[in-house]
Amino acid sequence: MSVEVHRRSDLTIDGMTCAACANRIQRKLGKLDAVSEARVNFANGRATVMHDDALDAGVLGAEVEALGYRVIDSGATEAAEARREADLRRRLVVGVALTVPAMAISMIPAFRFDGWVWVVAALTTPVVLWSGWLFHRAAAMNLRHGSTTMDTLVSMGSLSALVWSAVVLVGDLGDGHVYFETGAVIVTLILLGKWFELRAKRRSGDALRALADLGASTATLEDGTEIPLELVRTGQRFLVRPGEKVATDGVVVQGHAAVDASMVTGEPVPVEVGPGDEVIGATINTNGSLVVEATRVGSETALAQIIRLVDEAQGSRAEIQRLADRVSGVFVPLAILVSAVTLVAWLVWGDGVGDAFTAAVAVLIIACPCALGLATPLGIMVGTGRGAQLGLIIKGGEVLEDTRNVDVVVVDKTGTVTRGVMVVHEVLRGDLDDATLDRVHRLAASAEHRSEHPIARAVAASVDGEPLDVDEFRNEAGSGVVARVDGTSIRVGRRSHFGEVPAQLSAEAEAAEALGATVVFAGRAETAELAFVVHDEIKASSSDAVAAFHAEALDVILLTGDNSRTAAAVAAQVGIGTRAGDEVIAEVFPDGKVAVIERLQADGRRVAMVGDGINDAPALAQADLGIAIGTGTDVAIEASDLTVVSGDLRAVVDAIALSRRTLATIKGNLFWAFAYNAAAIPLAAFGVLNPMIAAGAMGLSSLFVVSNSLRLRGFRGSRHNDR
């Protein structure tokens, strides 16, 4: 049925042992009428459910617990993992302590004595039944619900070895071979793999936990009073002494200092700040003293939003995961069938019962798809976590795949290639007298006080004193503004915003534009009367970023609403145009930016769009990969797939490189997980691998996936190669 989605519920689930558990919970939740989408991530133990208001979150928890799992408070995740690790360790210690002597007695003839089989049975039975109880309980629970998981294979394999050996020992049946030590070794090796896997999974979440621990716990108010951070309110002022963390997001009102923001933005060099500059909570004041006025607190801070975005990304599912999910869903029943066929075939061919049983158990053990289930979610967890440490917020697994075929990067100019801090360097007056010049200048500056555009702020700041009263104000997107100021109509904007530009003023403007400046015209009617020459400094890192894009075989297109002369000058300075596919597209309105993206896509190009303003949001949403510069607006960030917390364009290169590296890691994980099972199951069926070797190989395959994913923690990026 059609579901109108109003709510999102996140559940933290304890007790999942493999990817098949996650798939079963996901199917169960997805069948509820009020649910439009359910995603369950085995790697982070999180379920994300989209549903309408008619469904209470408690119902979702009840459905999960009906399957035999527990829903716990998200804050209890760390404690639950610690308890699980301690329980695994206890069972593993018992398993090792009893299995090693049992193996020695069974495998080394010199250690055998009269009745040794009974001693081995006594040593291994607690291992199979108690140490392996986790697998048996999960298998029984799954069986009640008509499903099978990896635990089913482990339980069947170890219990089969124990029961068959007991029958042979007590009833003197079969060919006399017993496999007590096989069942114990299976349980012990898989417990060992599980223990290493759990520890590695906890390490994969270190990045997110480290982010959560970055924030300050207290704030010192102007009067010296120290209060808990949660009591800080917007508008309050607090002190930041040298070496202290900035308590929360705010604006500097007094003092100058160098602030180390590397833990949030990934930028290695401290940034000088002074009155009027914004600072981010959790960054560190390296020198000087600051008085900061809080602008965002609690869940609204940049750090809190980064944590939320990374947490959501780690719970997302990449398209490539669907293949693994489909395989996992049929793999266990198929493995049981292959095991049964193997047993029958060996018996029919006339081999001994013991050899037939050994081959069948080996198939069960080698087929455990644990590595397959971890391949994608663990790669996403480590990749997105590392990105967060570098100030790169990857919003989901789907984004990783969108970077695969990107072949062109479209970049906005203002605030992306340039600093976005505009300053009026000159006012072109044409043939105006001083009095008229002053009047039109003040009218234009007062009108621009209503606009948030960087150029408008520069024009507004070019006049001292309070702005004049604005009675009417209309923003014409991409062209300029029309306002009524102090009873006079005033128009400010680009050349096309006016019906006529006097020849002298036009010539002066063209000369300024040829040097790379932006020119904004103003007039009290359809005719422009003066013009503001506005300069925007190019970021020092932009030329390096363009070179890095080219090194990645990416064409770069500069897309801007600015005039063509200024755009061409900026492009030349940063190296856009040195590659055959580069292009400069200027004087484009916001809807025109979307049209450019659509044209490129129609030509078969895979487009990444980089922008920072509200006017970039539609293009970011249209692009195959939308990348927002984090110094920009919330609207742009929400519309993007990737967010670069810093304003350094080189970080965009890092974001694309990390996404590609993460996707390559996931593909490697899946390949080896598939290859392992494809190669090992036939070997087990033909008797080449015995159950003990199979159990060890199964554990090693999971450890390979984990260690391969953890290699992403070493990704550094172009901004950090010099450190």
Side-chain angles (χ1 to χ4, degrees):
M1 65 176 288
S2 176
V3 178
E4 185 177 357
V5 177
H6 293 286
R7 294 181 59 189
R8 163 185 166 150
S9 294
D10 293 309
L11 306 177
T12 301
I13 301 173
D14 186 31
M16 290 192 294
T17 57
C18 66
C21 296
N23 291 337
R24 187 154 63 87
I25 297 172
Q26 181 171 295
R27 287 194 300 269
K28 178 74 170 178
L29 295 176
K31 289 179 181 178
L32 297 176
D33 289 339
V35 172
S36 64
E37 182 184 10
R39 300 193 306 268
V40 181
N41 189 311
F42 168 55
N44 65 7
R46 183 76 52 81
T48 300
V49 186
M50 308 300 294
H51 59 90
D52 64 25
D53 283 331
L55 182 64
D56 186 85
V59 175
L60 299 174
E63 292 289 333
V64 172
E65 293 184 352
L67 294 175
Y69 304 95
R70 290 194 310 125
V71 176
I72 60 176
D73 184 84
S74 58
T77 304
E78 189 80 15
E81 289 183 348
R83 286 195 302 272
R84 193 179 308 119
E85 183 180 343
D87 183 51
L88 276 174
R89 185 167 55 247
R90 284 193 299 271
R91 296 178 187 276
L92 177 61
V93 168
V94 170
V96 171
L98 298 179
T99 300
V100 170
M103 280 190 62
I105 296 172
S106 301
M107 307 292 290
I108 303 174
F111 289 172
R112 294 176 184 173
F113 47 84
D114 291 340
W116 65 271
V117 177
W118 291 95
V119 173
V120 170
L123 290 171
T124 56
T125 298
V127 177
V128 174
L129 297 182
W130 184 79
S131 294
W133 175 247
L134 299 173
F135 308 115
H136 309 318
R137 181 183 61 190
M141 180 176 65
N142 293 326
L143 188 59
R144 286 201 306 271
H145 295 281
S147 64
T148 55
T149 67
M150 184 201 79
D151 300 304
T152 307
L153 300 180
V154 177
S155 179
M156 287 182 63
S158 59
L159 286 177
S160 297
L162 179 66
V163 172
W164 174 256
S165 299
V167 169
V168 170
L169 179 61
V170 175
D172 196 23
L173 301 176
D175 55 8
H177 289 290
V178 293
Y179 300 92
F180 287 114
E181 78 285 354
T182 299
V185 169
I186 289 170
V187 168
T188 302
L189 286 178
I190 294 179
L191 279 175
L192 179 63
K194 283 282 187 184
W195 184 65
F196 279 127
E197 178 186 304
L198 181 59
R199 287 175 59 87
K201 281 171 60 181
R202 292 184 67 186
R203 285 183 63 201
S204 71
D206 283 350
L208 194 57
R209 284 189 287 271
L211 279 176
D213 292 339
L214 283 178
S217 58
T218 62
T220 303
L221 303 182
E222 279 188 295
D223 61 4
T225 304
E226 188 172 289
I227 63 173
L229 184 62
E230 56 268 21
L231 297 182
V232 176
R233 297 291 178 262
T234 301
Q236 281 187 308
R237 294 185 176 185
F238 56 90
L239 303 175
V240 187
R241 304 182 187 91
E244 290 183 342
K245 293 180 179 179
V246 177
T248 190
D249 296 1
V251 175
V252 177
V253 295
Q254 183 180 328
H256 292 80
V259 174
D260 180 1
S262 60
M263 67 289 295
V264 176
T265 67
E267 293 295 333
V269 180
V271 178
E272 294 288 338
V273 299
D277 292 330
E278 295 185 356
V279 288
I280 301 174
T283 56
I284 299 174
N285 178 10
T286 61
N287 59 24
S289 294
L290 299 174
V291 177
V292 179
E293 182 175 305
T295 56
R296 290 186 291 189
V297 297
S299 61
E300 299 300 317
T301 64
L303 180 62
Q305 293 183 45
I306 289 171
I307 292 172
R308 175 180 60 81
L309 290 171
V310 175
D311 191 43
E312 290 176 357
Q314 293 190 342
S316 67
R317 300 170 75 82
E319 183 72 21
I320 199 171
Q321 176 68 15
R322 295 184 181 181
L323 175 62
D325 289 344
R326 287 196 295 268
V327 171
S328 295
V330 300
F331 201 82
V332 174
L334 182 62
I336 294 173
L337 177 62
V338 171
S339 177
V341 170
T342 299
L343 177 64
V344 172
W346 276 74
L347 292 174
V348 169
W349 288 339
D351 293 278
V353 175
D355 291 336
F357 173 79
T358 300
V361 170
V363 169
L364 287 177
I365 300 305
I366 206 73
C368 293
C370 190
L372 189 63
L374 283 172
T376 299
L378 200 59
I380 291 175
M381 281 187 70
V382 181
T384 54
R386 179 56 181 157
Q389 292 177 322
L390 297 175
L392 314 172
I393 311 304
I394 303 170
K395 290 192 176 179
E398 302 88 348
V399 175
L400 301 174
E401 293 174 309
D402 289 336
T403 65
R404 176 174 43 192
N405 297 318
V406 165
D407 56 9
V408 58
V409 178
V410 177
V411 295
D412 177 51
K413 180 178 75 68
T414 305
T416 304
V417 174
T418 62
R419 292 182 60 211
V421 180
M422 313 294 286
V423 178
V424 174
H425 279 257
E426 184 182 1
V427 180
L428 306 176
R429 61 191 299 166
D431 56 3
L432 294 183
D433 58 61
D434 290 344
T436 305
L437 173 68
D438 182 70
R439 174 65 175 170
V440 176
H441 188 173
R442 187 167 293 277
L443 290 173
S446 298
E448 292 288 56
H449 264 286
R450 289 287 190 93
S451 176
E452 291 297 320
H453 193 281
I455 294 178
R457 288 199 294 268
V459 173
S462 66
V463 173
D464 295 329
E466 292 295 319
L468 302 174
D469 293 335
V470 179
D471 301 319
E472 300 174 9
F473 180 86
R474 185 174 75 253
N475 184 12
E476 297 183 357
S479 294
V481 301
V482 178
R484 188 169 185 80
V485 181
D486 196 30
T488 303
S489 177
I490 185 71
R491 182 180 293 260
V492 187
R494 63 170 63 198
R495 185 187 296 264
S496 60
H497 199 38
F498 296 85
E500 181 184 352
V501 179
Q504 181 180 342
L505 184 62
S506 179
E508 292 174 352
E510 289 177 3
E513 289 172 346
L515 298 176
T518 296
V519 178
V520 179
F521 297 87
R524 288 169 293 182
E526 293 288 333
T527 300
E529 296 179 274
L530 59 77
F532 300 99
V533 178
V534 183
H535 282 283
D536 181 10
E537 183 181 350
I538 294 174
K539 294 177 182 177
S541 60
S542 292
S543 58
D544 290 339
V546 171
F549 284 133
H550 289 163
E552 291 283 338
L554 296 169
D555 296 333
V556 182
I557 296 177
L558 182 66
L559 183 62
T560 178
D562 211 339
N563 67 81
S564 56
R565 294 184 184 87
T566 300
V570 170
Q573 290 182 62
V574 299
I576 296 175
T578 58
R579 182 177 167 88
D582 289 356
E583 192 176 352
V584 178
I585 304 175
E587 300 181 26
V588 181
F589 289 1
D591 57 346
K593 291 185 178 183
V594 175
V596 170
I597 302 296
E598 290 175 338
R599 173 177 62 80
L600 291 169
Q601 291 171 328
D603 291 339
R605 309 298 298 273
R606 296 282 292 181
V607 183
M609 169 71 191
V610 187
D612 75 324
I614 292 175
N615 64 330
D616 296 322
L620 289 170
Q622 175 63 37
D624 298 292
L625 181 66
I627 305 174
I629 297 293
T631 51
T633 66
D634 291 340
V635 175
I637 292 171
E638 285 299 320
S640 69
D641 304 304
L642 274 167
T643 299
V644 175
V645 179
S646 73
D648 191 337
L649 194 59
R650 290 178 302 173
V652 175
V653 184
D654 292 345
I656 292 176
L658 176 60
S659 295
R660 288 179 168 177
R661 176 85 65 84
T662 303
L663 184 62
T665 298
I666 291 171
K667 286 183 174 181
N669 288 346
L670 288 172
F671 171 80
W672 287 109
F674 277 120
Y676 157 79
N677 283 307
I681 288 177
L683 293 176
F686 284 102
V688 177
L689 297 178
N690 66 45
M692 287 183 288
I693 296 176
M698 194 279 289
L700 288 175
S701 70
S702 295
L703 289 177
F704 169 80
V705 166
V706 170
S707 59
N708 190 46
S709 298
L710 289 175
R711 288 193 308 120
L712 289 168
R713 290 160 57 105
F715 179 87
R716 293 178 63 81
S718 60
R719 293 171 296 158
H720 297 73
N721 286 338
D722 56 347
R723 293 203 301 173

